[in-house]
Each structure stands twice: as C-alpha cells, then as structure tokens.
Amino acid sequence: MIAKAPHLSVRLWQDRVRGALLALSLWLAGETPAVAETITSARFTEPTTRYAHGVLGDNIEYSALELTVQSDTLTIRLPSDRVFEDLAPRLIDIDLDGKLEVIVVESHNRTGAQLSIYDRGGKKIAATPHIGTRFRWLAPIGAADLDGDGYVEIAYIDRPHLAKTLRIWRYRDGDLTEVATLPGLTNHRIGEDFITGGVRDCGTGPELIVVSADWQQIASVSYEDGWTTRMLSSFTHKAVKQTLDCLR
C-alpha cells in the first residue's frame, strides 16, 4: 500500500502544495471566470510507484487527474506507461474564452516529461513534445500573456538539473508553438518538493522569476522588444519570495 499525504486541491499559487514553498497550483491569465461549465478544482489521485524517478523527493507519482466541473467530477486515468510527475494541477484560461483549462506535467516511461493541457471534458487539447528519454523532467514557471500579443504563453525550465534551459510556448488556435529558448536558468534542485520562482507583475508587465544556473542569482525574464534576462539579486529562498511579492 502506498502511504503519502495527499496533494491539496487547486488554490492560489502562493500556498503550499506537496510541501511546496513556491509551487504553482493556480495560474491566471486574468480574473478567474465565474461562468457555467468550467473547471472549479483539480487534484491528482491514485498514487503509484511505477515511475521511480524520485525527482520531487520520493518515488510516488500519480496515475489519475480528478476534475470538478461545477457539481460533477471527472477522472482522467493515464495508461500504464505514463504518470503525472508534478506538484499539483494548474488552472488557467488558456484560450481566454472565460473557461478554465488544466495544465500538468505528464511523464512517459521511455520518453520523459511533457507539459499537457486538458479541457473541462477531460480531453488533452495540446501538449509540448516529450523531452526524449525517461527520467528527464521539466519544471513549470507560470503562464500569462507574457509579450502583450493577446495570447497566453506558458514557461517552464527544461531539465532544471541538466539542460537548465527556459522554454516559452504560445497557445494559439488550439496548438502550442515554442517562441523562446533561453539557456543558463533553473528553478529546481533534485529532491526538492517545491519549485522555486514564478510569475510576477509589479506594474510594468509580467516577469518570469527564476534562478541562474549556478544558483547564485535571482533572474527576471521579460519581453521588451525581445526576451530580456536581468539578474536582480543574490539568491536565497527568502529573497525569491520578496521578489515575487514586488518587495525587491
């Protein structure tokens, strides 16, 4: 029998999930829509040890995703060669139609992790390619209209312990297109049960907050006639929280 404290259902991204200091569990491109037939909460269920990567501190991942759509519950079960290798599902209105979708990290036992988007009917509507080999992971940062083009972009660190590369994908017309690749950045260390950083907007537009590849500096990535990386200050977890809160 697998014994583990259950993940919490979706709540504001600042809250703790799976011990998460700065994990993301609710990403908003705008205000949360109060409309009929939208996802109101999501959580991972049915823990499994069939994918023993342990990148998040243990060998337990999840084989099912439970969505609550108004008063109905829908369970998405993965085939035996896949798991949800993630902290918590993330809700966002990815197509800006007033209804929430869910973003998750999904890993295959031969080709590794990908970022997947599911709609309120449980259909996978888009996904990034798998990294390419087992036990290779990606760590989400956040999602918003990062460049002001009217479409939502999703950002993550590709292999935060190896490649340490930030990738940004735009969702448009039912598909994801990679729009930026920035090396030398990370947001996770092996065994940590949290992801460091996120998205902030201190009045001048959204910024991705991550860490330099050597874990020495807090970095900001934003769009200013092109993608720009700035080093903000020396890294500590306290300093990251203050940065996300626009206090430094």
Side-chain angles (χ1 to χ4, degrees):
M1 178 179 180
I2 298 171
K4 182 183 175 84
H7 287 201
L8 302 178
S9 59
V10 170
R11 56 178 59 187
L12 291 178
W13 68 267
Q14 292 96 336
D15 286 359
R16 292 174 179 265
V17 179
R18 195 177 185 174
L21 174 65
L22 297 171
L24 309 177
S25 54
L26 177 57
W27 295 352
L28 298 180
E31 295 298 321
T32 305
V35 296
E37 297 304 315
T38 190
I39 301 170
T40 55
S41 66
R43 63 174 184 150
F44 295 127
T45 61
E46 302 180 17
T48 178
T49 57
R50 68 191 185 209
Y51 187 74
H53 187 191
V55 72
L56 291 166
D58 57 46
N59 289 330
I60 299 172
E61 304 306 335
Y62 293 87
S63 58
L65 170 65
E66 183 182 280
L67 307 180
T68 300
V69 182
Q70 305 308 318
S71 59
D72 296 326
T73 299
L74 172 67
T75 300
I76 302 162
R77 289 185 174 86
L78 294 177
S80 60
D81 58 0
R82 297 170 184 254
V83 297
F84 294 110
E85 189 178 18
D86 205 351
L87 298 167
R90 301 157 183 83
L91 296 184
I92 185 170
D93 182 2
I94 192 70
D95 52 7
L96 303 179
D97 68 348
K99 298 175 183 178
L100 295 173
E101 287 76 38
V102 62
I103 297 176
V104 294
V105 179
E106 194 173 318
S107 293
H108 188 277
N109 65 8
R110 293 190 306 276
T111 56
Q114 68 176 168
L115 204 70
S116 298
I117 306 171
Y118 288 87
D119 67 12
R120 65 189 185 279
K123 177 184 177 183
K124 184 187 289 191
I125 60 172
T128 62
H130 288 275
I131 288 173
T133 189
R134 67 189 276 112
F135 299 160
R136 296 295 181 265
W137 187 63
L138 61 87
I141 304 166
D145 182 358
L146 297 173
D147 57 4
D149 65 350
Y151 297 94
V152 175
E153 284 81 35
I154 306 171
Y156 63 79
I157 299 293
D158 175 4
R159 291 160 291 173
H161 326 114
L162 296 171
K164 300 184 180 182
T165 299
L166 189 155
R167 299 189 184 275
I168 301 173
W169 295 74
R170 177 180 297 124
Y171 183 84
R172 181 175 181 178
D173 299 329
D175 200 7
L176 287 168
T177 302
E178 189 170 12
V179 295
T181 303
L182 303 172
L185 300 167
T186 190
N187 62 348
H188 185 263
R189 290 183 280 206
I190 292 175
E192 291 181 339
D193 61 353
F194 57 88
I195 293 171
T196 299
V199 180
R200 75 172 185 176
D201 189 334
C202 300
T204 58
E207 301 171 73
L208 302 171
I209 302 301
V210 290
V211 186
S212 60
D214 61 3
W215 286 90
Q216 296 301 303
Q217 296 288 314
I218 298 171
S220 165
V221 177
S222 59
Y223 189 84
E224 302 168 12
D225 296 323
W227 297 98
T228 301
T229 302
R230 295 181 296 126
M231 297 301 164
L232 301 180
S233 66
S234 297
F235 167 77
T236 65
H237 283 302
K238 180 179 179 180
V240 172
K241 185 178 187 306
Q242 291 174 333
T243 300
L244 288 168
D245 290 339
C246 299
L247 298 178
R248 56 186 301 159

